[in-house]
Every structure is written in C-alpha cells, then in structure tokens.
Amino acid sequence: MPGLFITFEGGDGSGKTTQIKLLTSWLEAKNKIVVVTREPGGTDLGNEVRHLVMHRKGFIAPRAEALLYAADRSHHVQTIVRPALDRGEIVVQDRYFDSSIAYQGAGRVLDTDEIRDLSAWATEDLVPHLTILLDVSAEVAKLRRSRPTTDFDRLEAEDENFHNRVRESYLALAKRDPGRWLVVDGEITVEKIHAQILAKVALLLE
C-alpha cells in the first residue's frame, strides 16, 4: 500500500476523539492528505449498522453482533479505506478489528481467534501500519463515561467486569504484536499523549 493506515483503540472515554483531531491537524499542517473515519460507521450503510449495534435497546445475540460489525467493516474497507490507501493518502481511523477482538471476543466471551479470523476474511487481511492504544483504568473510564448524554450506548452501559475484560484484551493484543502497537497511558495530559503519538508517527513518515 502506498498510503499509511493508523488506527486508534481504547475503551470508551479513553480520549481517542481528542487525539485523532490533534494528529490530523499535525498531519495536514505537513500537507498530508488525511482521511478520518470510524467504525462502526464511516459510510451510509455503516451508520445504519452503527445505530443497530450501539443504540438499539433490545437484545442482540453476541454472534449476531459480531457479524454486524464484520459486515460494516468489510463495506467500509472496500469503499473508504483501501481506495484512500491506494491513492497514497493517510487513513486515521477510530477503531478497527482489534475492537471486535476486545469487545465481541473478550467482552462478550466469544472465541477471540474466531473473531480475528472473521475480520481477516471481511477485510481481505488488511492490517494497520500502526495501532495506538490509549489505555485507561476501568475506574477512570467509568468516571469519564458518566458524562451526561442523551443517546443510549449499549457498550457504555455494560458492567465493570465487561470493561475490565476489554482492557485486558487490548493489552494482551499489544503485547503479542509490539511492532504494530503503541500503548500510551491515557491518564496523562493530552499534550504528553500527543507528543508520544507524534514521535511514533514521525518515524513512520520517514
């Protein structure tokens, strides 16, 4: 791929949105073409799937949930991510298949290898050049998630055990593939997090 694929991962309330905006501004100041996108969502079809998996108040079977995420991911990669990378652009994405491994695999207690294989098939084995994990404790994440909101979120509403499993899964994924992952303490200042991210991305741009 002539382009660069960077994904952000972390629990709800980890600060991904803020860091994505800061990184994008820095890249654009260097005259880079940046495509900012997210999962689930990023396309019209993806936004419909996003509403189902994140905001539907009724029960969704765990395997059905995993398949919905995979369907969104397949469409998203084919229509947004791969074309941008083929054009030599930089894709900065909020969540990718590692989210499914952590949330649907560890969180929903499904087989993580099966979830990984499902995403690999859906994306034709597209792997990011860099995955940035903003790691925060379950306690801090819970405080951040307690902000007022008018939109019900199925994942945010899960109990602390669920979110602990998600965090542990993320850390295990990063440990197994340190060449792809940058783990940053999400509880330090926004500026210090940004500096660590820039140092890593600058190396990739070289």
Side-chain angles (χ1 to χ4, degrees):
M1 294 179 296
L4 183 63
F5 189 18
I6 301 171
T7 57
F8 279 75
E9 297 288 350
D12 297 299
S14 61
K16 292 185 283 75
T17 300
T18 297
Q19 293 301 326
I20 286 172
K21 288 179 180 177
L22 290 172
L23 176 60
T24 300
S25 295
W26 182 81
L27 289 167
E28 290 178 340
K30 291 183 170 297
N31 297 317
K32 304 296 184 182
I33 299 175
V34 185
V35 175
V36 181
T37 188
R38 67 178 183 178
E39 285 189 4
T43 65
D44 289 341
L45 175 62
N47 285 326
E48 294 181 33
V49 175
R50 182 181 183 88
H51 179 75
L52 278 174
V53 296
M54 297 187 68
H55 305 302
R56 186 177 186 275
K57 293 185 178 181
F59 172 73
I60 300 178
R63 287 175 181 269
E65 181 180 272
L67 287 165
L68 285 167
Y69 276 105
D72 163 64
R73 183 163 299 129
S74 178
H75 181 72
H76 183 237
V77 164
Q78 183 173 342
T79 60
I80 300 294
V81 179
R82 280 193 185 274
L85 294 174
D86 288 341
R87 292 192 299 267
E89 298 167 1
I90 299 175
V91 176
V92 178
Q93 183 166 311
D94 186 348
R95 300 197 183 283
Y96 190 44
F97 62 69
D98 297 297
S99 279
S100 281
I101 296 170
Y103 279 88
Q104 281 70 58
R108 300 296 188 206
V109 197
L110 296 175
D111 187 305
T112 55
D113 288 337
E114 290 181 350
I115 298 297
R116 182 184 292 104
D117 290 345
L118 176 63
S119 284
W121 179 81
T123 64
E124 297 180 88
D125 298 308
L126 179 64
V127 177
H129 296 95
L130 172 66
T131 297
I132 299 163
L133 172 61
L134 302 182
D135 179 49
V136 298
S137 68
E139 294 77 17
V140 169
K142 183 178 181 180
L143 289 173
R144 293 179 180 179
R145 291 196 304 272
S146 65
R147 66 192 184 282
T149 180
T150 58
D151 200 2
F152 172 81
D153 187 312
R154 295 176 61 251
L155 297 179
E156 286 189 359
E158 291 292 342
D159 62 24
E160 194 165 327
N161 288 331
F162 176 92
H163 291 287
N164 275 325
R165 291 195 300 273
V166 169
R167 183 193 182 197
E168 291 168 3
S169 178
Y170 272 134
L171 292 172
L173 288 169
K175 186 176 181 179
R176 285 199 294 269
D177 191 5
R180 174 166 71 91
W181 289 77
L182 171 67
V183 180
V184 182
D185 182 352
E187 298 179 31
I188 61 177
T189 66
V190 169
E191 293 77 15
K192 288 181 179 179
I193 295 171
H194 181 51
Q196 290 186 39
I197 292 171
L198 290 192
K200 184 68 173 181
V201 173
L203 290 174
L204 290 177
L205 292 178
E206 290 176 0

